Amino acid sequence: MTSYADFYRQSIDQPDAFWSEQAKLIEWHKPFDRVCNYDNPPFVQWFEGGQTNLCHNAVDRHLADRAGQAALIAISSETGSERTYTFQDLHGEVQRMAASLKALGVAKGDRVLIYMPMIAEAAFAMLACARIGAIHCVVFGGFASGSLASRIEDAAPKVIVSADAGSRGGKALAYKPLLDEAIRLSSHKPDAVLLVDRGLASMEWVAGRDHLWNELRETHADAHVPCEWLDSTAISYTIYTSGTTGKPKGVQRDTGGYTVALAASMKHIFDGRAGETFFSTSDIGWVVGHSYIVYGPLIAGMATIMYEGLPTQGMDKQPHGGIWWELVEKYRVTVMFSAPTAVRVLKRQDPALLTKYDLSSLRALFLAGEPLDEPTARWISEGLNVPIIDNYWQTESGWPILTIANGVEKKPSKFGSPGIPMYGYNVKLLHESTGEELTVPGEKGVVVIEGPTPPGFMQTIWKDDKRFVDTYWKSVPSKLVYSTFDWGIRDADGYYFILGRTDDVINVAGHRLGTREIEESISGHPQVAEVAVVGVADALKGQVAMAFAVLKDSSLAQDSAAALKLEGEIMKLVDGDLGAVARPARVRFVTALPKTRSGKLLRRAIQAVCEGRDAGDLTTMDDPAALQQIKDKVAV
Ligand code: PRX
């Protein structure tokens, strides 16, 4: 067996040899001429000249060996439905969806925005786009009209695929009115909207624009839509993520590199094998859902579980608190993927729920998206008796940057550390201001990646190469390196520890949110003059958003009933604009915000005060009383 150290070294020192070996894990219609083109840094082209198709590798490829095996298992504890699609069934459904999209005018290179709950049709739509070479842009179903509108504006989709409603805790959440409002707000209008009617909410129909999947599916029942062979470098999808500005970034990915990266990660990191079942509890709206609900497991020939519902018992008594473990037992899940927040939620329940089911099929539980605290890791690892594997990555990377590659060599994990750099990632720690490389163990620096970034990594920001270079590659003086915007330290054994973001991105229950976006939404309230939003440590959610607002009429804040009413109004405004995921935990009213003399908001100082820490060097602060006010408000 190769040692991981050798495997890793080859990936960095001989990337062409390394990745051409990995490229054999997928099927190519036409072989590539060049493995890695890094002639124009930081832009990388992987497998130039090659042609392949994501959908072919996820679905069609498996028809020869496993047509009758489970591919997609769609379960909703909300509606009580449970259905298994074999690879053969999936092949049929994806072609029906592809034919419907084509009938609505979608051609290669067109964008299709997908705004859907966790139902099988969402996966059909993603795979159908990949099949015909359309670029999908999946927007998280928990986002509301404002977020959706800015994404429609940027992606300019020809067609939007959506549904009447999602459901949470037994309550239907209508999607259609939010979508109609978002289309109204956007200057770009799609030609058509394709809607799945689940019978959960009535839909106001826009004649000529809206089409029903339930009907088109019948029309195209026998559709035969072959895979479009795409250049390896052709765009497969974009996914929006938050950054420092209020404008979300469309992270853009290729076709061939991404397919190879996922196939390789399924083998070397997740150790998932064809014919087994993979269960990721994420959502298709996030990068984990793209890579490890839809594409990764299917490429590996595994069945993947798509679960709509809560992890614990809801108000309506649905589902029961052991639902995840029941699914593991029932479908013989071998690899599971979740987030620390979800485990912290489970921890509040009866521990007997973990021992009630036969979990002997499970080999590992992967957790990602936020720091994994030691008590949570210990609790779940003792409860399940399987390795808990922390993995650190980003929407931008598409697959793990730091973890343990158990498929290559079973190296020990360390509590509090997601692990060591994965093959293909030349990870370094740099000094925040000088940009010098830190080599002494235990020194704190910014986690960066030296180019060329590996296959599967973002190609650029959709329609904005300049923003891609300026945002990610210019943060360190005189060096072209990709900044993750995370603080980290490395120990003497080469294990990394992630200490949080260097920018204004916060992580609420594993959901990545930009504080600027929340601030912009709150500023839309007529009474608000100015606002600062910071992420504050929370025992359950990792972080929560806290807002501090200056009112136009400061007397309102003195009246506690009026202040409470305003706080409610502001929360409602954020719910309607961005979605409840972005709602601040509290909105406090102050008469001034702490700023530097040049007018820059001191978010880090506000955050420190909220967490009861020392606010650091405040010599540049303009008005110390403003920070004191925040201290007083937080103390209440
Ligand atoms: O700050 C890091 C944190 O989440 C950010 C990326 O979030 P997102 O783009 O939503 O991608 C999630 C993909 C799993 C990172 O910049 N983060 C992610 N994983 C970890 C983490 N922080 C600590 N430990 C992790 N394992």
Side-chain angles (χ1 to χ4, degrees), residues 241 286-288 337 367-372 390-396 402 418 484-486 498 500-501 505 507 510-512:
T241 193
W286 306 111
V287 70
V288 177
F337 193 128
L367 296 175
E370 54 182 321
L372 173 61
D390 190 358
N391 54 123
Y392 160 87
W393 47 295
Q394 307 183 309
T395 306
E396 289 84 345
L402 299 171
T484 61
F485 297 103
D486 278 302
I498 300 295
R501 299 279 303 195
V505 166
N507 200 318
H511 300 322
R512 173 166 161 184

PDB file of all heavy atoms in Angstrom, residues 241 286-288 337 367-372 390-396 402 418 484-486 498 500-501 505 507 510-512, ligand 1:
ATOM      1  N   THR A 241     -22.320  31.872  -3.490  1.00  0.00           N
ATOM      2  CA  THR A 241     -21.901  31.847  -2.096  1.00  0.00           C
ATOM      3  C   THR A 241     -21.610  33.258  -1.623  1.00  0.00           C
ATOM      4  O   THR A 241     -21.466  34.174  -2.427  1.00  0.00           O
ATOM      5  CB  THR A 241     -20.692  30.910  -1.901  1.00  0.00           C
ATOM      6  OG1 THR A 241     -20.524  30.692  -0.496  1.00  0.00           O
ATOM      7  CG2 THR A 241     -19.405  31.469  -2.469  1.00  0.00           C
ATOM      8  N   TRP A 286     -26.668  23.565  -1.233  1.00  0.00           N
ATOM      9  CA  TRP A 286     -25.306  23.841  -0.782  1.00  0.00           C
ATOM     10  C   TRP A 286     -24.329  22.981  -1.567  1.00  0.00           C
ATOM     11  O   TRP A 286     -24.696  21.986  -2.184  1.00  0.00           O
ATOM     12  CB  TRP A 286     -25.172  23.552   0.718  1.00  0.00           C
ATOM     13  CG  TRP A 286     -26.172  24.274   1.559  1.00  0.00           C
ATOM     14  CD1 TRP A 286     -27.207  23.714   2.237  1.00  0.00           C
ATOM     15  CD2 TRP A 286     -26.263  25.686   1.797  1.00  0.00           C
ATOM     16  NE1 TRP A 286     -27.928  24.682   2.894  1.00  0.00           N
ATOM     17  CE2 TRP A 286     -27.369  25.900   2.644  1.00  0.00           C
ATOM     18  CE3 TRP A 286     -25.506  26.789   1.381  1.00  0.00           C
ATOM     19  CZ2 TRP A 286     -27.745  27.176   3.079  1.00  0.00           C
ATOM     20  CZ3 TRP A 286     -25.887  28.056   1.819  1.00  0.00           C
ATOM     21  CH2 TRP A 286     -26.991  28.246   2.659  1.00  0.00           C
ATOM     22  N   VAL A 287     -23.052  23.334  -1.457  1.00  0.00           N
ATOM     23  CA  VAL A 287     -22.049  22.606  -2.236  1.00  0.00           C
ATOM     24  C   VAL A 287     -21.976  21.134  -1.826  1.00  0.00           C
ATOM     25  O   VAL A 287     -21.776  20.260  -2.662  1.00  0.00           O
ATOM     26  CB  VAL A 287     -20.673  23.301  -2.130  1.00  0.00           C
ATOM     27  CG1 VAL A 287     -20.071  23.164  -0.736  1.00  0.00           C
ATOM     28  CG2 VAL A 287     -19.717  22.775  -3.169  1.00  0.00           C
ATOM     29  N   VAL A 288     -22.178  20.853  -0.538  1.00  0.00           N
ATOM     30  CA  VAL A 288     -22.134  19.448  -0.093  1.00  0.00           C
ATOM     31  C   VAL A 288     -23.216  18.647  -0.814  1.00  0.00           C
ATOM     32  O   VAL A 288     -23.007  17.490  -1.201  1.00  0.00           O
ATOM     33  CB  VAL A 288     -22.304  19.344   1.442  1.00  0.00           C
ATOM     34  CG1 VAL A 288     -22.322  17.889   1.881  1.00  0.00           C
ATOM     35  CG2 VAL A 288     -21.203  20.103   2.166  1.00  0.00           C
ATOM     36  N   PHE A 337     -22.666  11.522   5.830  1.00  0.00           N
ATOM     37  CA  PHE A 337     -22.054  12.858   5.798  1.00  0.00           C
ATOM     38  C   PHE A 337     -23.034  13.838   6.430  1.00  0.00           C
ATOM     39  O   PHE A 337     -24.187  13.892   6.025  1.00  0.00           O
ATOM     40  CB  PHE A 337     -21.794  13.232   4.332  1.00  0.00           C
ATOM     41  CG  PHE A 337     -20.898  14.430   4.139  1.00  0.00           C
ATOM     42  CD1 PHE A 337     -19.798  14.346   3.303  1.00  0.00           C
ATOM     43  CD2 PHE A 337     -21.152  15.638   4.756  1.00  0.00           C
ATOM     44  CE1 PHE A 337     -18.964  15.438   3.099  1.00  0.00           C
ATOM     45  CE2 PHE A 337     -20.331  16.730   4.571  1.00  0.00           C
ATOM     46  CZ  PHE A 337     -19.238  16.631   3.737  1.00  0.00           C
ATOM     47  N   LEU A 367     -18.041  14.758   8.905  1.00  0.00           N
ATOM     48  CA  LEU A 367     -18.688  16.001   9.332  1.00  0.00           C
ATOM     49  C   LEU A 367     -17.909  17.173   8.755  1.00  0.00           C
ATOM     50  O   LEU A 367     -16.676  17.175   8.770  1.00  0.00           O
ATOM     51  CB  LEU A 367     -18.705  16.090  10.861  1.00  0.00           C
ATOM     52  CG  LEU A 367     -19.527  15.019  11.586  1.00  0.00           C
ATOM     53  CD1 LEU A 367     -19.353  15.147  13.095  1.00  0.00           C
ATOM     54  CD2 LEU A 367     -21.013  15.111  11.234  1.00  0.00           C
ATOM     55  N   ALA A 368     -18.645  18.163   8.233  1.00  0.00           N
ATOM     56  CA  ALA A 368     -17.974  19.320   7.629  1.00  0.00           C
ATOM     57  C   ALA A 368     -18.846  20.553   7.715  1.00  0.00           C
ATOM     58  O   ALA A 368     -20.016  20.481   8.085  1.00  0.00           O
ATOM     59  CB  ALA A 368     -17.664  19.037   6.163  1.00  0.00           C
ATOM     60  N   GLY A 369     -18.253  21.675   7.372  1.00  0.00           N
ATOM     61  CA  GLY A 369     -19.006  22.919   7.233  1.00  0.00           C
ATOM     62  C   GLY A 369     -18.727  23.915   8.324  1.00  0.00           C
ATOM     63  O   GLY A 369     -18.986  25.103   8.181  1.00  0.00           O
ATOM     64  N   GLU A 370     -18.210  23.463   9.453  1.00  0.00           N
ATOM     65  CA  GLU A 370     -17.959  24.347  10.593  1.00  0.00           C
ATOM     66  C   GLU A 370     -17.039  23.592  11.542  1.00  0.00           C
ATOM     67  O   GLU A 370     -16.886  22.367  11.417  1.00  0.00           O
ATOM     68  CB  GLU A 370     -19.278  24.697  11.298  1.00  0.00           C
ATOM     69  CG  GLU A 370     -20.016  23.436  11.674  1.00  0.00           C
ATOM     70  CD  GLU A 370     -21.361  23.670  12.335  1.00  0.00           C
ATOM     71  OE1 GLU A 370     -21.470  24.585  13.138  1.00  0.00           O
ATOM     72  OE2 GLU A 370     -22.270  22.882  12.042  1.00  0.00           O
ATOM     73  N   PRO A 371     -16.432  24.287  12.496  1.00  0.00           N
ATOM     74  CA  PRO A 371     -15.526  23.581  13.406  1.00  0.00           C
ATOM     75  C   PRO A 371     -16.261  22.494  14.194  1.00  0.00           C
ATOM     76  O   PRO A 371     -17.406  22.680  14.617  1.00  0.00           O
ATOM     77  CB  PRO A 371     -15.045  24.698  14.342  1.00  0.00           C
ATOM     78  CG  PRO A 371     -15.263  25.961  13.588  1.00  0.00           C
ATOM     79  CD  PRO A 371     -16.476  25.727  12.736  1.00  0.00           C
ATOM     80  N   LEU A 372     -15.582  21.375  14.343  1.00  0.00           N
ATOM     81  CA  LEU A 372     -16.144  20.257  15.100  1.00  0.00           C
ATOM     82  C   LEU A 372     -15.528  20.284  16.494  1.00  0.00           C
ATOM     83  O   LEU A 372     -14.327  20.069  16.663  1.00  0.00           O
ATOM     84  CB  LEU A 372     -15.791  18.938  14.388  1.00  0.00           C
ATOM     85  CG  LEU A 372     -16.158  17.650  15.119  1.00  0.00           C
ATOM     86  CD1 LEU A 372     -17.658  17.552  15.361  1.00  0.00           C
ATOM     87  CD2 LEU A 372     -15.687  16.436  14.321  1.00  0.00           C
ATOM     88  N   ASP A 390     -13.678  14.527  10.404  1.00  0.00           N
ATOM     89  CA  ASP A 390     -13.873  15.950  10.162  1.00  0.00           C
ATOM     90  C   ASP A 390     -13.252  16.259   8.794  1.00  0.00           C
ATOM     91  O   ASP A 390     -12.215  15.700   8.450  1.00  0.00           O
ATOM     92  CB  ASP A 390     -13.135  16.704  11.282  1.00  0.00           C
ATOM     93  CG  ASP A 390     -13.429  18.193  11.307  1.00  0.00           C
ATOM     94  OD1 ASP A 390     -14.178  18.662  10.431  1.00  0.00           O
ATOM     95  OD2 ASP A 390     -12.894  18.887  12.204  1.00  0.00           O
ATOM     96  N   ASN A 391     -13.902  17.105   8.004  1.00  0.00           N
ATOM     97  CA  ASN A 391     -13.272  17.517   6.754  1.00  0.00           C
ATOM     98  C   ASN A 391     -13.569  18.973   6.502  1.00  0.00           C
ATOM     99  O   ASN A 391     -14.675  19.448   6.688  1.00  0.00           O
ATOM    100  CB  ASN A 391     -13.637  16.614   5.571  1.00  0.00           C
ATOM    101  CG  ASN A 391     -15.110  16.430   5.324  1.00  0.00           C
ATOM    102  OD1 ASN A 391     -15.626  16.708   4.260  1.00  0.00           O
ATOM    103  ND2 ASN A 391     -15.853  15.957   6.331  1.00  0.00           N
ATOM    104  N   TYR A 392     -12.511  19.675   6.099  1.00  0.00           N
ATOM    105  CA  TYR A 392     -12.585  21.124   5.920  1.00  0.00           C
ATOM    106  C   TYR A 392     -12.521  21.446   4.437  1.00  0.00           C
ATOM    107  O   TYR A 392     -11.609  20.995   3.739  1.00  0.00           O
ATOM    108  CB  TYR A 392     -11.407  21.787   6.644  1.00  0.00           C
ATOM    109  CG  TYR A 392     -11.107  23.181   6.148  1.00  0.00           C
ATOM    110  CD1 TYR A 392     -11.759  24.285   6.675  1.00  0.00           C
ATOM    111  CD2 TYR A 392     -10.180  23.380   5.118  1.00  0.00           C
ATOM    112  CE1 TYR A 392     -11.488  25.561   6.198  1.00  0.00           C
ATOM    113  CE2 TYR A 392      -9.915  24.657   4.643  1.00  0.00           C
ATOM    114  CZ  TYR A 392     -10.577  25.743   5.184  1.00  0.00           C
ATOM    115  OH  TYR A 392     -10.314  26.990   4.707  1.00  0.00           O
ATOM    116  N   TRP A 393     -13.500  22.208   3.961  1.00  0.00           N
ATOM    117  CA  TRP A 393     -13.445  22.688   2.585  1.00  0.00           C
ATOM    118  C   TRP A 393     -14.399  23.847   2.407  1.00  0.00           C
ATOM    119  O   TRP A 393     -14.878  24.409   3.389  1.00  0.00           O
ATOM    120  CB  TRP A 393     -13.667  21.576   1.565  1.00  0.00           C
ATOM    121  CG  TRP A 393     -14.810  20.607   1.768  1.00  0.00           C
ATOM    122  CD1 TRP A 393     -14.944  19.716   2.794  1.00  0.00           C
ATOM    123  CD2 TRP A 393     -15.921  20.391   0.900  1.00  0.00           C
ATOM    124  NE1 TRP A 393     -16.077  18.953   2.606  1.00  0.00           N
ATOM    125  CE2 TRP A 393     -16.692  19.345   1.456  1.00  0.00           C
ATOM    126  CE3 TRP A 393     -16.338  20.960  -0.305  1.00  0.00           C
ATOM    127  CZ2 TRP A 393     -17.876  18.883   0.852  1.00  0.00           C
ATOM    128  CZ3 TRP A 393     -17.500  20.491  -0.904  1.00  0.00           C
ATOM    129  CH2 TRP A 393     -18.254  19.472  -0.328  1.00  0.00           C
ATOM    130  N   GLN A 394     -14.642  24.231   1.172  1.00  0.00           N
ATOM    131  CA  GLN A 394     -15.438  25.436   0.885  1.00  0.00           C
ATOM    132  C   GLN A 394     -16.249  25.228  -0.386  1.00  0.00           C
ATOM    133  O   GLN A 394     -15.909  24.358  -1.204  1.00  0.00           O
ATOM    134  CB  GLN A 394     -14.498  26.624   0.623  1.00  0.00           C
ATOM    135  CG  GLN A 394     -13.479  26.877   1.681  1.00  0.00           C
ATOM    136  CD  GLN A 394     -12.640  28.100   1.380  1.00  0.00           C
ATOM    137  OE1 GLN A 394     -12.097  28.221   0.283  1.00  0.00           O
ATOM    138  NE2 GLN A 394     -12.525  29.010   2.336  1.00  0.00           N
ATOM    139  N   THR A 395     -17.252  26.061  -0.572  1.00  0.00           N
ATOM    140  CA  THR A 395     -18.011  26.049  -1.819  1.00  0.00           C
ATOM    141  C   THR A 395     -17.037  26.149  -2.994  1.00  0.00           C
ATOM    142  O   THR A 395     -17.193  25.489  -4.016  1.00  0.00           O
ATOM    143  CB  THR A 395     -18.977  27.252  -1.848  1.00  0.00           C
ATOM    144  OG1 THR A 395     -19.772  27.206  -0.663  1.00  0.00           O
ATOM    145  CG2 THR A 395     -19.869  27.238  -3.068  1.00  0.00           C
ATOM    146  N   GLU A 396     -16.027  26.972  -2.818  1.00  0.00           N
ATOM    147  CA  GLU A 396     -15.065  27.230  -3.883  1.00  0.00           C
ATOM    148  C   GLU A 396     -14.291  25.978  -4.287  1.00  0.00           C
ATOM    149  O   GLU A 396     -13.937  25.802  -5.443  1.00  0.00           O
ATOM    150  CB  GLU A 396     -14.060  28.309  -3.419  1.00  0.00           C
ATOM    151  CG  GLU A 396     -14.632  29.717  -3.314  1.00  0.00           C
ATOM    152  CD  GLU A 396     -15.333  29.999  -1.992  1.00  0.00           C
ATOM    153  OE1 GLU A 396     -15.640  29.043  -1.244  1.00  0.00           O
ATOM    154  OE2 GLU A 396     -15.596  31.191  -1.712  1.00  0.00           O
ATOM    155  N   LEU A 402      -8.819  19.690   3.579  1.00  0.00           N
ATOM    156  CA  LEU A 402      -8.099  19.065   4.694  1.00  0.00           C
ATOM    157  C   LEU A 402      -8.975  17.948   5.246  1.00  0.00           C
ATOM    158  O   LEU A 402     -10.149  18.168   5.530  1.00  0.00           O
ATOM    159  CB  LEU A 402      -7.890  20.073   5.833  1.00  0.00           C
ATOM    160  CG  LEU A 402      -7.091  21.336   5.592  1.00  0.00           C
ATOM    161  CD1 LEU A 402      -7.224  22.267   6.803  1.00  0.00           C
ATOM    162  CD2 LEU A 402      -5.616  21.026   5.339  1.00  0.00           C
ATOM    163  N   PRO A 418      -9.319  19.102  11.423  1.00  0.00           N
ATOM    164  CA  PRO A 418      -9.915  18.375  10.289  1.00  0.00           C
ATOM    165  C   PRO A 418      -8.903  17.466   9.596  1.00  0.00           C
ATOM    166  O   PRO A 418      -9.287  16.597   8.830  1.00  0.00           O
ATOM    167  CB  PRO A 418     -10.404  19.473   9.350  1.00  0.00           C
ATOM    168  CG  PRO A 418      -9.815  20.742   9.820  1.00  0.00           C
ATOM    169  CD  PRO A 418      -9.272  20.542  11.218  1.00  0.00           C
ATOM    170  N   THR A 484      -8.111  31.223   1.549  1.00  0.00           N
ATOM    171  CA  THR A 484      -9.365  30.576   1.976  1.00  0.00           C
ATOM    172  C   THR A 484     -10.159  31.522   2.860  1.00  0.00           C
ATOM    173  O   THR A 484     -11.311  31.264   3.157  1.00  0.00           O
ATOM    174  CB  THR A 484      -9.058  29.319   2.809  1.00  0.00           C
ATOM    175  OG1 THR A 484      -8.328  29.732   3.981  1.00  0.00           O
ATOM    176  CG2 THR A 484      -8.272  28.289   2.024  1.00  0.00           C
ATOM    177  N   PHE A 485      -9.513  32.588   3.323  1.00  0.00           N
ATOM    178  CA  PHE A 485     -10.093  33.508   4.314  1.00  0.00           C
ATOM    179  C   PHE A 485     -10.380  32.819   5.637  1.00  0.00           C
ATOM    180  O   PHE A 485     -11.302  33.180   6.347  1.00  0.00           O
ATOM    181  CB  PHE A 485     -11.347  34.217   3.766  1.00  0.00           C
ATOM    182  CG  PHE A 485     -11.046  35.089   2.592  1.00  0.00           C
ATOM    183  CD1 PHE A 485     -11.354  34.678   1.305  1.00  0.00           C
ATOM    184  CD2 PHE A 485     -10.421  36.312   2.772  1.00  0.00           C
ATOM    185  CE1 PHE A 485     -11.050  35.466   0.214  1.00  0.00           C
ATOM    186  CE2 PHE A 485     -10.106  37.107   1.680  1.00  0.00           C
ATOM    187  CZ  PHE A 485     -10.422  36.690   0.404  1.00  0.00           C
ATOM    188  N   ASP A 486      -9.590  31.797   5.927  1.00  0.00           N
ATOM    189  CA  ASP A 486      -9.698  31.146   7.238  1.00  0.00           C
ATOM    190  C   ASP A 486      -8.362  31.270   7.961  1.00  0.00           C
ATOM    191  O   ASP A 486      -7.301  31.155   7.348  1.00  0.00           O
ATOM    192  CB  ASP A 486     -10.027  29.650   7.088  1.00  0.00           C
ATOM    193  CG  ASP A 486     -11.509  29.416   6.865  1.00  0.00           C
ATOM    194  OD1 ASP A 486     -12.296  29.841   7.734  1.00  0.00           O
ATOM    195  OD2 ASP A 486     -11.871  28.824   5.833  1.00  0.00           O
ATOM    196  N   ILE A 498      -8.451  24.806  12.284  1.00  0.00           N
ATOM    197  CA  ILE A 498      -9.080  25.980  11.671  1.00  0.00           C
ATOM    198  C   ILE A 498      -9.681  26.856  12.764  1.00  0.00           C
ATOM    199  O   ILE A 498     -10.435  26.369  13.612  1.00  0.00           O
ATOM    200  CB  ILE A 498     -10.152  25.548  10.646  1.00  0.00           C
ATOM    201  CG1 ILE A 498      -9.523  24.703   9.534  1.00  0.00           C
ATOM    202  CG2 ILE A 498     -10.906  26.748  10.071  1.00  0.00           C
ATOM    203  CD1 ILE A 498      -8.521  25.430   8.656  1.00  0.00           C
ATOM    204  N   GLY A 500     -11.453  29.905  12.303  1.00  0.00           N
ATOM    205  CA  GLY A 500     -12.506  30.859  11.948  1.00  0.00           C
ATOM    206  C   GLY A 500     -12.095  31.759  10.799  1.00  0.00           C
ATOM    207  O   GLY A 500     -10.937  31.792  10.390  1.00  0.00           O
ATOM    208  N   ARG A 501     -13.059  32.524  10.294  1.00  0.00           N
ATOM    209  CA  ARG A 501     -12.854  33.321   9.087  1.00  0.00           C
ATOM    210  C   ARG A 501     -12.092  34.609   9.367  1.00  0.00           C
ATOM    211  O   ARG A 501     -12.221  35.203  10.428  1.00  0.00           O
ATOM    212  CB  ARG A 501     -14.216  33.679   8.471  1.00  0.00           C
ATOM    213  CG  ARG A 501     -15.055  32.498   8.046  1.00  0.00           C
ATOM    214  CD  ARG A 501     -14.687  31.919   6.715  1.00  0.00           C
ATOM    215  NE  ARG A 501     -14.737  32.882   5.636  1.00  0.00           N
ATOM    216  CZ  ARG A 501     -14.736  32.539   4.340  1.00  0.00           C
ATOM    217  NH1 ARG A 501     -14.710  31.256   3.975  1.00  0.00           N
ATOM    218  NH2 ARG A 501     -14.762  33.463   3.405  1.00  0.00           N
ATOM    219  N   VAL A 505     -17.609  36.761   6.695  1.00  0.00           N
ATOM    220  CA  VAL A 505     -18.517  35.632   6.467  1.00  0.00           C
ATOM    221  C   VAL A 505     -18.777  34.958   7.804  1.00  0.00           C
ATOM    222  O   VAL A 505     -17.863  34.786   8.605  1.00  0.00           O
ATOM    223  CB  VAL A 505     -17.873  34.645   5.466  1.00  0.00           C
ATOM    224  CG1 VAL A 505     -18.600  33.316   5.467  1.00  0.00           C
ATOM    225  CG2 VAL A 505     -17.878  35.253   4.065  1.00  0.00           C
ATOM    226  N   ASN A 507     -20.987  31.645   9.910  1.00  0.00           N
ATOM    227  CA  ASN A 507     -21.391  30.276   9.685  1.00  0.00           C
ATOM    228  C   ASN A 507     -22.459  29.911  10.713  1.00  0.00           C
ATOM    229  O   ASN A 507     -22.146  29.644  11.866  1.00  0.00           O
ATOM    230  CB  ASN A 507     -20.142  29.403   9.861  1.00  0.00           C
ATOM    231  CG  ASN A 507     -20.311  28.077   9.199  1.00  0.00           C
ATOM    232  OD1 ASN A 507     -21.372  27.463   9.281  1.00  0.00           O
ATOM    233  ND2 ASN A 507     -19.261  27.619   8.546  1.00  0.00           N
ATOM    234  N   GLY A 510     -23.896  25.742  10.114  1.00  0.00           N
ATOM    235  CA  GLY A 510     -23.306  25.185   8.892  1.00  0.00           C
ATOM    236  C   GLY A 510     -23.703  25.946   7.630  1.00  0.00           C
ATOM    237  O   GLY A 510     -23.243  25.616   6.550  1.00  0.00           O
ATOM    238  N   HIS A 511     -24.565  26.954   7.750  1.00  0.00           N
ATOM    239  CA  HIS A 511     -24.946  27.752   6.577  1.00  0.00           C
ATOM    240  C   HIS A 511     -24.028  28.959   6.485  1.00  0.00           C
ATOM    241  O   HIS A 511     -23.907  29.735   7.432  1.00  0.00           O
ATOM    242  CB  HIS A 511     -26.387  28.251   6.676  1.00  0.00           C
ATOM    243  CG  HIS A 511     -27.403  27.161   6.784  1.00  0.00           C
ATOM    244  ND1 HIS A 511     -27.308  25.986   6.103  1.00  0.00           N
ATOM    245  CD2 HIS A 511     -28.545  27.081   7.492  1.00  0.00           C
ATOM    246  CE1 HIS A 511     -28.332  25.230   6.374  1.00  0.00           C
ATOM    247  NE2 HIS A 511     -29.107  25.863   7.231  1.00  0.00           N
ATOM    248  N   ARG A 512     -23.433  29.130   5.326  1.00  0.00           N
ATOM    249  CA  ARG A 512     -22.503  30.246   5.138  1.00  0.00           C
ATOM    250  C   ARG A 512     -23.271  31.500   4.740  1.00  0.00           C
ATOM    251  O   ARG A 512     -23.990  31.505   3.744  1.00  0.00           O
ATOM    252  CB  ARG A 512     -21.508  29.850   4.055  1.00  0.00           C
ATOM    253  CG  ARG A 512     -20.592  30.955   3.638  1.00  0.00           C
ATOM    254  CD  ARG A 512     -19.458  30.375   2.841  1.00  0.00           C
ATOM    255  NE  ARG A 512     -18.783  31.370   2.057  1.00  0.00           N
ATOM    256  CZ  ARG A 512     -17.803  31.094   1.209  1.00  0.00           C
ATOM    257  NH1 ARG A 512     -17.424  29.833   1.032  1.00  0.00           N
ATOM    258  NH2 ARG A 512     -17.226  32.044   0.521  1.00  0.00           N
TER     259      ARG A 512
HETATM  260  O1  PRX B   1     -14.762  28.784   7.524  1.00  0.00           O
HETATM  261  C1  PRX B   1     -14.681  27.516   6.944  1.00  0.00           C
HETATM  262  C2  PRX B   1     -15.894  26.695   7.371  1.00  0.00           C
HETATM  263  O2  PRX B   1     -16.876  26.906   6.367  1.00  0.00           O
HETATM  264  C3  PRX B   1     -16.351  27.717   5.299  1.00  0.00           C
HETATM  265  C4  PRX B   1     -16.856  27.230   3.969  1.00  0.00           C
HETATM  266  O3  PRX B   1     -18.240  27.141   3.975  1.00  0.00           O
HETATM  267  P1  PRX B   1     -19.018  26.702   2.671  1.00  0.00           P
HETATM  268  O4  PRX B   1     -18.562  27.511   1.529  1.00  0.00           O
HETATM  269  O5  PRX B   1     -20.457  26.708   3.008  1.00  0.00           O
HETATM  270  O6  PRX B   1     -18.537  25.228   2.373  1.00  0.00           O
HETATM  271  C5  PRX B   1     -18.799  24.165   3.215  1.00  0.00           C
HETATM  272  C6  PRX B   1     -18.239  22.907   2.613  1.00  0.00           C
HETATM  273  C7  PRX B   1     -18.126  21.804   3.621  1.00  0.00           C
HETATM  274  C8  PRX B   1     -14.862  27.594   5.433  1.00  0.00           C
HETATM  275  O7  PRX B   1     -14.184  28.679   4.839  1.00  0.00           O
HETATM  276  N1  PRX B   1     -15.600  25.263   7.457  1.00  0.00           N
HETATM  277  C9  PRX B   1     -15.922  24.305   6.564  1.00  0.00           C
HETATM  278  N2  PRX B   1     -15.562  23.090   7.014  1.00  0.00           N
HETATM  279  C10 PRX B   1     -14.960  23.272   8.213  1.00  0.00           C
HETATM  280  C11 PRX B   1     -14.974  24.669   8.491  1.00  0.00           C
HETATM  281  N3  PRX B   1     -14.420  25.172   9.624  1.00  0.00           N
HETATM  282  C12 PRX B   1     -13.833  24.300  10.481  1.00  0.00           C
HETATM  283  N4  PRX B   1     -13.811  22.958  10.275  1.00  0.00           N
HETATM  284  C13 PRX B   1     -14.347  22.405   9.180  1.00  0.00           C
HETATM  285  N5  PRX B   1     -14.319  21.090   8.995  1.00  0.00           N
END
